[in-house]
Amino acid sequence: QVQLVESGGGLVQAGGSLRLSCAASRSIFGINAMGWYRQAPGKQRELVAFITNGGRRNYADSVKGRFTISRDNAANTVYLQMNGLNSEDTAVYYCNAGYYDGSYYPHHWGQGTQVTVSS
């Protein structure tokens, strides 16, 4: 079991940047993959990006070239750098500890952090 706590959300103008952090309650070195999901009002939760223990990264088409996921195993933290934000990025962002074997399987969830982009 691992507890995840997200931070770094907030209100930003269109075109701006935010960096989300996800702090884990224990070492993430042995966690196969870590990801970020988001859920906008009235929409299903979607996978935004994930990163495996081996450094493989995958992004949703809607954020490719704008978002970067990284993990610092020594700090037990996963980050999501978000640049070029637009109103479509407004959502609650959730950190996740999961597993990847060709598909990403979410296991443990954080409580979420709100990101609001004003136009």
Side-chain angles (χ1 to χ4, degrees):
Q1 190 79 350
V2 58
Q3 280 73 49
L4 304 170
V5 179
E6 302 95 334
S7 61
L11 176 64
V12 63
Q13 288 189 333
S17 299
L18 283 175
R19 188 177 82 154
L20 305 183
S21 299
C22 171
S25 60
R26 64 167 179 83
S27 173
I28 65 171
F29 181 78
I31 296 178
N32 177 269
M34 301 285 296
W36 286 94
Y37 282 72
R38 67 185 181 187
Q39 187 167 21
K43 294 187 177 181
Q44 290 189 332
R45 192 173 295 190
E46 63 171 346
L47 178 60
V48 174
F50 69 83
I51 182 169
T52 69
N53 213 4
R56 179 192 181 111
R57 294 173 172 84
N58 187 274
Y59 299 93
D61 287 342
S62 59
V63 307
K64 280 180 182 176
R66 300 188 297 122
F67 290 11
T68 302
I69 189 171
S70 60
R71 63 191 286 172
D72 184 341
N73 288 344
N76 300 331
T77 303
V78 177
Y79 303 97
L80 185 68
Q81 178 67 44
M82 306 186 295
N83 300 327
L85 288 162
N86 59 60
S87 59
E88 297 291 310
D89 298 314
T90 294
V92 179
Y93 284 71
Y94 297 91
C95 179
N96 182 270
Y99 187 83
Y100 174 77
D101 69 353
S103 295
Y104 183 82
Y105 299 96
H107 290 171
H108 306 288
W109 295 90
Q111 83 289 350
T113 186
Q114 176 71 47
V115 172
T116 303
V117 183
S118 63
S119 55

